[in-house]
Amino acid sequence: MAEAETLTLAFVSSHPADAARVLERLPGGDAAALFQHLPARAAAPALAAMLPSAAARIVAASDDAPALGLLAAVGVQAAVAILRHVPEPRRLRLVDGLSTATAVASRMLLGYPEDAAGAWADPEYMALAPGTSTAEALARVRGDPDVDAGEVYVVEEDRKLVGVVALQALLRAPEATTLAALMRRPAGTIPAIMPLSATAAQPGWQQSSVLPVVERGDRLVGILRQSAPELIPELLIGP
């Protein structure tokens, strides 16, 4: 790798927020050319830290393969925020090129209006059936380190949310105990169609920093985190 590329990689990797501010000021084609010389996983934090509209210019100016690599590396939530600013038919083609699980989640989130809570829900969470044993649940948590499993969501058929189990409760329980015996009601839920600006008033934030987002019939869509103002600018609330 040339010295200039090495220095660029070091800066983007070590200072993604600062790199994002610089990249936002570049024309989309110039920024895309720079990203093509960087590994997707190293460049992803900087892309995710950019304004979605600016990040979309980079994706739109890139060929499909590097664009898909970047979208896969930033995660579903950030990818959807970027894809909202990519015009059709390119957006549809890119979604179709993602992995099956990521494409399904992306289509679901893109189906909500941009100002709805469902559009910003994080679809990467741990959801298991009520009959799952503690031992199996812990094995699943340990086997999927990319998912924030501070809580495990308990769902019935069609992903109907029936309860939540804290990781600490799993660690303390006997291995044969089922999630149904450990679960408690969520501190609160957020309707997927609720305007994002209205979510700040949800009383559940007083008990939990993470709330599930549900569709009609309590079907689990994803989660919202109180500590993610960079992804949810309207959710400016304190603990």
mmCIF file of all heavy atoms in Angstrom, residues 10-40:
data_model
loop_
_atom_site.group_PDB
_atom_site.id
_atom_site.type_symbol
_atom_site.label_atom_id
_atom_site.label_comp_id
_atom_site.label_asym_id
_atom_site.label_seq_id
_atom_site.Cartn_x
_atom_site.Cartn_y
_atom_site.Cartn_z
ATOM 1 N N ALA A 10 -4.879 5.034 8.320
ATOM 2 C CA ALA A 10 -4.626 5.253 9.748
ATOM 3 C C ALA A 10 -5.520 6.357 10.286
ATOM 4 O O ALA A 10 -6.071 6.238 11.392
ATOM 5 C CB ALA A 10 -3.153 5.597 9.963
ATOM 6 N N PHE A 11 -5.684 7.439 9.533
ATOM 7 C CA PHE A 11 -6.509 8.557 9.992
ATOM 8 C C PHE A 11 -7.980 8.157 10.060
ATOM 9 O O PHE A 11 -8.655 8.403 11.065
ATOM 10 C CB PHE A 11 -6.333 9.744 9.047
ATOM 11 C CG PHE A 11 -7.229 10.911 9.362
ATOM 12 C CD1 PHE A 11 -7.119 11.594 10.558
ATOM 13 C CD2 PHE A 11 -8.206 11.315 8.450
ATOM 14 C CE1 PHE A 11 -7.951 12.674 10.855
ATOM 15 C CE2 PHE A 11 -9.044 12.377 8.741
ATOM 16 C CZ PHE A 11 -8.907 13.067 9.937
ATOM 17 N N VAL A 12 -8.483 7.515 9.010
ATOM 18 C CA VAL A 12 -9.892 7.120 8.970
ATOM 19 C C VAL A 12 -10.209 6.106 10.066
ATOM 20 O O VAL A 12 -11.255 6.170 10.711
ATOM 21 C CB VAL A 12 -10.252 6.544 7.576
ATOM 22 C CG1 VAL A 12 -11.634 5.915 7.593
ATOM 23 C CG2 VAL A 12 -10.189 7.647 6.521
ATOM 24 N N SER A 13 -9.288 5.178 10.310
ATOM 25 C CA SER A 13 -9.514 4.137 11.314
ATOM 26 C C SER A 13 -9.440 4.680 12.728
ATOM 27 O O SER A 13 -10.216 4.280 13.597
ATOM 28 C CB SER A 13 -8.491 3.010 11.144
ATOM 29 O OG SER A 13 -8.564 2.438 9.862
ATOM 30 N N SER A 14 -8.498 5.588 12.962
ATOM 31 C CA SER A 14 -8.272 6.084 14.319
ATOM 32 C C SER A 14 -9.185 7.250 14.695
ATOM 33 O O SER A 14 -9.484 7.448 15.875
ATOM 34 C CB SER A 14 -6.809 6.514 14.486
ATOM 35 O OG SER A 14 -5.934 5.455 14.204
ATOM 36 N N HIS A 15 -9.619 8.008 13.701
ATOM 37 C CA HIS A 15 -10.422 9.204 13.977
ATOM 38 C C HIS A 15 -11.629 9.247 13.036
ATOM 39 O O HIS A 15 -11.743 10.143 12.197
ATOM 40 C CB HIS A 15 -9.575 10.466 13.802
ATOM 41 C CG HIS A 15 -8.315 10.472 14.614
ATOM 42 N ND1 HIS A 15 -8.294 10.755 15.964
ATOM 43 C CD2 HIS A 15 -7.033 10.203 14.252
ATOM 44 C CE1 HIS A 15 -7.053 10.676 16.414
ATOM 45 N NE2 HIS A 15 -6.270 10.341 15.396
ATOM 46 N N PRO A 16 -12.547 8.269 13.161
ATOM 47 C CA PRO A 16 -13.662 8.208 12.203
ATOM 48 C C PRO A 16 -14.553 9.440 12.210
ATOM 49 O O PRO A 16 -15.018 9.872 11.149
ATOM 50 C CB PRO A 16 -14.430 6.954 12.648
ATOM 51 C CG PRO A 16 -14.013 6.710 14.054
ATOM 52 C CD PRO A 16 -12.603 7.178 14.145
ATOM 53 N N ALA A 17 -14.798 10.034 13.382
ATOM 54 C CA ALA A 17 -15.666 11.218 13.436
ATOM 55 C C ALA A 17 -15.005 12.402 12.729
ATOM 56 O O ALA A 17 -15.660 13.139 11.976
ATOM 57 C CB ALA A 17 -15.993 11.572 14.883
ATOM 58 N N ASP A 18 -13.701 12.602 12.969
ATOM 59 C CA ASP A 18 -12.986 13.692 12.293
ATOM 60 C C ASP A 18 -12.908 13.428 10.792
ATOM 61 O O ASP A 18 -13.078 14.343 9.974
ATOM 62 C CB ASP A 18 -11.574 13.824 12.859
ATOM 63 C CG ASP A 18 -11.555 14.296 14.305
ATOM 64 O OD1 ASP A 18 -12.541 14.949 14.720
ATOM 65 O OD2 ASP A 18 -10.578 13.999 15.008
ATOM 66 N N ALA A 19 -12.668 12.182 10.424
ATOM 67 C CA ALA A 19 -12.617 11.834 9.005
ATOM 68 C C ALA A 19 -13.965 12.081 8.342
ATOM 69 O O ALA A 19 -14.032 12.544 7.190
ATOM 70 C CB ALA A 19 -12.205 10.382 8.833
ATOM 71 N N ALA A 20 -15.044 11.788 9.072
ATOM 72 C CA ALA A 20 -16.385 11.995 8.516
ATOM 73 C C ALA A 20 -16.626 13.458 8.169
ATOM 74 O O ALA A 20 -17.205 13.777 7.122
ATOM 75 C CB ALA A 20 -17.438 11.513 9.510
ATOM 76 N N ARG A 21 -16.167 14.369 9.048
ATOM 77 C CA ARG A 21 -16.376 15.800 8.773
ATOM 78 C C ARG A 21 -15.618 16.234 7.521
ATOM 79 O O ARG A 21 -16.094 17.067 6.747
ATOM 80 C CB ARG A 21 -15.911 16.625 9.982
ATOM 81 C CG ARG A 21 -16.575 16.279 11.303
ATOM 82 C CD ARG A 21 -18.047 16.654 11.359
ATOM 83 N NE ARG A 21 -18.916 15.690 10.724
ATOM 84 C CZ ARG A 21 -19.303 14.558 11.296
ATOM 85 N NH1 ARG A 21 -18.894 14.247 12.504
ATOM 86 N NH2 ARG A 21 -20.132 13.741 10.663
ATOM 87 N N VAL A 22 -14.417 15.678 7.331
ATOM 88 C CA VAL A 22 -13.631 16.005 6.138
ATOM 89 C C VAL A 22 -14.300 15.428 4.898
ATOM 90 O O VAL A 22 -14.461 16.116 3.870
ATOM 91 C CB VAL A 22 -12.198 15.455 6.271
ATOM 92 C CG1 VAL A 22 -11.424 15.668 4.968
ATOM 93 C CG2 VAL A 22 -11.471 16.121 7.430
ATOM 94 N N LEU A 23 -14.720 14.182 4.970
ATOM 95 C CA LEU A 23 -15.312 13.504 3.819
ATOM 96 C C LEU A 23 -16.625 14.141 3.394
ATOM 97 O O LEU A 23 -16.964 14.145 2.204
ATOM 98 C CB LEU A 23 -15.537 12.028 4.152
ATOM 99 C CG LEU A 23 -14.252 11.192 4.304
ATOM 100 C CD1 LEU A 23 -14.555 9.881 5.005
ATOM 101 C CD2 LEU A 23 -13.618 10.954 2.946
ATOM 102 N N GLU A 24 -17.374 14.669 4.343
ATOM 103 C CA GLU A 24 -18.653 15.310 4.009
ATOM 104 C C GLU A 24 -18.468 16.507 3.088
ATOM 105 O O GLU A 24 -19.393 16.868 2.343
ATOM 106 C CB GLU A 24 -19.368 15.758 5.288
ATOM 107 C CG GLU A 24 -19.961 14.612 6.086
ATOM 108 C CD GLU A 24 -20.446 15.034 7.447
ATOM 109 O OE1 GLU A 24 -20.155 16.189 7.868
ATOM 110 O OE2 GLU A 24 -21.102 14.221 8.124
ATOM 111 N N ARG A 25 -17.293 17.112 3.110
ATOM 112 C CA ARG A 25 -17.053 18.311 2.289
ATOM 113 C C ARG A 25 -16.526 17.967 0.896
ATOM 114 O O ARG A 25 -16.417 18.859 0.042
ATOM 115 C CB ARG A 25 -16.063 19.233 3.009
ATOM 116 C CG ARG A 25 -16.590 19.793 4.325
ATOM 117 C CD ARG A 25 -15.727 20.941 4.822
ATOM 118 N NE ARG A 25 -14.407 20.490 5.250
ATOM 119 C CZ ARG A 25 -14.106 20.138 6.492
ATOM 120 N NH1 ARG A 25 -15.053 20.155 7.437
ATOM 121 N NH2 ARG A 25 -12.877 19.768 6.809
ATOM 122 N N LEU A 26 -16.206 16.688 0.675
ATOM 123 C CA LEU A 26 -15.697 16.295 -0.636
ATOM 124 C C LEU A 26 -16.833 15.961 -1.589
ATOM 125 O O LEU A 26 -17.890 15.490 -1.164
ATOM 126 C CB LEU A 26 -14.798 15.056 -0.498
ATOM 127 C CG LEU A 26 -13.498 15.192 0.283
ATOM 128 C CD1 LEU A 26 -12.785 13.848 0.320
ATOM 129 C CD2 LEU A 26 -12.601 16.251 -0.341
ATOM 130 N N PRO A 27 -16.643 16.181 -2.903
ATOM 131 C CA PRO A 27 -17.626 15.681 -3.872
ATOM 132 C C PRO A 27 -17.762 14.170 -3.739
ATOM 133 O O PRO A 27 -16.795 13.471 -3.396
ATOM 134 C CB PRO A 27 -17.016 16.071 -5.224
ATOM 135 C CG PRO A 27 -16.078 17.200 -4.913
ATOM 136 C CD PRO A 27 -15.536 16.915 -3.539
ATOM 137 N N GLY A 28 -18.966 13.659 -4.017
ATOM 138 C CA GLY A 28 -19.220 12.240 -3.842
ATOM 139 C C GLY A 28 -18.250 11.351 -4.594
ATOM 140 O O GLY A 28 -17.785 10.331 -4.072
ATOM 141 N N GLY A 29 -17.909 11.734 -5.827
ATOM 142 C CA GLY A 29 -16.992 10.923 -6.628
ATOM 143 C C GLY A 29 -15.602 10.858 -6.030
ATOM 144 O O GLY A 29 -14.962 9.795 -6.022
ATOM 145 N N ASP A 30 -15.107 11.986 -5.510
ATOM 146 C CA ASP A 30 -13.769 12.007 -4.904
ATOM 147 C C ASP A 30 -13.740 11.156 -3.642
ATOM 148 O O ASP A 30 -12.785 10.406 -3.405
ATOM 149 C CB ASP A 30 -13.361 13.449 -4.573
ATOM 150 C CG ASP A 30 -13.147 14.290 -5.817
ATOM 151 O OD1 ASP A 30 -13.067 13.708 -6.922
ATOM 152 O OD2 ASP A 30 -13.071 15.521 -5.690
ATOM 153 N N ALA A 31 -14.768 11.286 -2.819
ATOM 154 C CA ALA A 31 -14.824 10.498 -1.588
ATOM 155 C C ALA A 31 -14.958 9.011 -1.902
ATOM 156 O O ALA A 31 -14.351 8.162 -1.243
ATOM 157 C CB ALA A 31 -15.986 10.966 -0.721
ATOM 158 N N ALA A 32 -15.755 8.691 -2.929
ATOM 159 C CA ALA A 32 -15.926 7.292 -3.313
ATOM 160 C C ALA A 32 -14.602 6.696 -3.789
ATOM 161 O O ALA A 32 -14.277 5.542 -3.479
ATOM 162 C CB ALA A 32 -16.987 7.168 -4.402
ATOM 163 N N ALA A 33 -13.822 7.476 -4.543
ATOM 164 C CA ALA A 33 -12.527 7.002 -5.019
ATOM 165 C C ALA A 33 -11.600 6.714 -3.845
ATOM 166 O O ALA A 33 -10.842 5.728 -3.859
ATOM 167 C CB ALA A 33 -11.906 8.034 -5.956
ATOM 168 N N LEU A 34 -11.661 7.553 -2.822
ATOM 169 C CA LEU A 34 -10.837 7.325 -1.641
ATOM 170 C C LEU A 34 -11.258 6.048 -0.922
ATOM 171 O O LEU A 34 -10.418 5.235 -0.514
ATOM 172 C CB LEU A 34 -10.938 8.534 -0.711
ATOM 173 C CG LEU A 34 -10.051 8.568 0.527
ATOM 174 C CD1 LEU A 34 -9.743 10.003 0.904
ATOM 175 C CD2 LEU A 34 -10.702 7.864 1.713
ATOM 176 N N PHE A 35 -12.561 5.847 -0.780
ATOM 177 C CA PHE A 35 -13.065 4.677 -0.073
ATOM 178 C C PHE A 35 -12.722 3.382 -0.797
ATOM 179 O O PHE A 35 -12.581 2.336 -0.159
ATOM 180 C CB PHE A 35 -14.590 4.779 0.105
ATOM 181 C CG PHE A 35 -15.006 5.431 1.393
ATOM 182 C CD1 PHE A 35 -14.885 6.795 1.565
ATOM 183 C CD2 PHE A 35 -15.511 4.680 2.445
ATOM 184 C CE1 PHE A 35 -15.261 7.410 2.743
ATOM 185 C CE2 PHE A 35 -15.889 5.271 3.632
ATOM 186 C CZ PHE A 35 -15.758 6.640 3.784
ATOM 187 N N GLN A 36 -12.573 3.439 -2.116
ATOM 188 C CA GLN A 36 -12.273 2.223 -2.868
ATOM 189 C C GLN A 36 -10.889 1.672 -2.537
ATOM 190 O O GLN A 36 -10.595 0.505 -2.805
ATOM 191 C CB GLN A 36 -12.387 2.490 -4.370
ATOM 192 C CG GLN A 36 -13.836 2.648 -4.827
ATOM 193 C CD GLN A 36 -13.960 2.940 -6.311
ATOM 194 O OE1 GLN A 36 -12.967 2.932 -7.030
ATOM 195 N NE2 GLN A 36 -15.168 3.191 -6.778
ATOM 196 N N HIS A 37 -10.030 2.505 -1.951
ATOM 197 C CA HIS A 37 -8.686 2.065 -1.595
ATOM 198 C C HIS A 37 -8.594 1.641 -0.130
ATOM 199 O O HIS A 37 -7.502 1.304 0.342
ATOM 200 C CB HIS A 37 -7.674 3.192 -1.864
ATOM 201 C CG HIS A 37 -7.551 3.560 -3.304
ATOM 202 N ND1 HIS A 37 -6.921 2.758 -4.231
ATOM 203 C CD2 HIS A 37 -8.006 4.643 -3.993
ATOM 204 C CE1 HIS A 37 -6.977 3.331 -5.426
ATOM 205 N NE2 HIS A 37 -7.622 4.477 -5.306
ATOM 206 N N LEU A 38 -9.720 1.641 0.576
ATOM 207 C CA LEU A 38 -9.711 1.291 1.993
ATOM 208 C C LEU A 38 -10.523 0.026 2.223
ATOM 209 O O LEU A 38 -11.549 -0.184 1.579
ATOM 210 C CB LEU A 38 -10.312 2.433 2.826
ATOM 211 C CG LEU A 38 -9.639 3.810 2.716
ATOM 212 C CD1 LEU A 38 -10.433 4.839 3.532
ATOM 213 C CD2 LEU A 38 -8.195 3.739 3.195
ATOM 214 N N PRO A 39 -10.105 -0.835 3.153
ATOM 215 C CA PRO A 39 -10.936 -1.993 3.499
ATOM 216 C C PRO A 39 -12.279 -1.534 4.043
ATOM 217 O O PRO A 39 -12.349 -0.557 4.807
ATOM 218 C CB PRO A 39 -10.109 -2.697 4.583
ATOM 219 C CG PRO A 39 -8.715 -2.187 4.413
ATOM 220 C CD PRO A 39 -8.844 -0.788 3.896
ATOM 221 N N ALA A 40 -13.345 -2.221 3.662
ATOM 222 C CA ALA A 40 -14.695 -1.786 4.049
ATOM 223 C C ALA A 40 -14.853 -1.692 5.565
ATOM 224 O O ALA A 40 -15.438 -0.726 6.073
ATOM 225 C CB ALA A 40 -15.731 -2.746 3.463
#
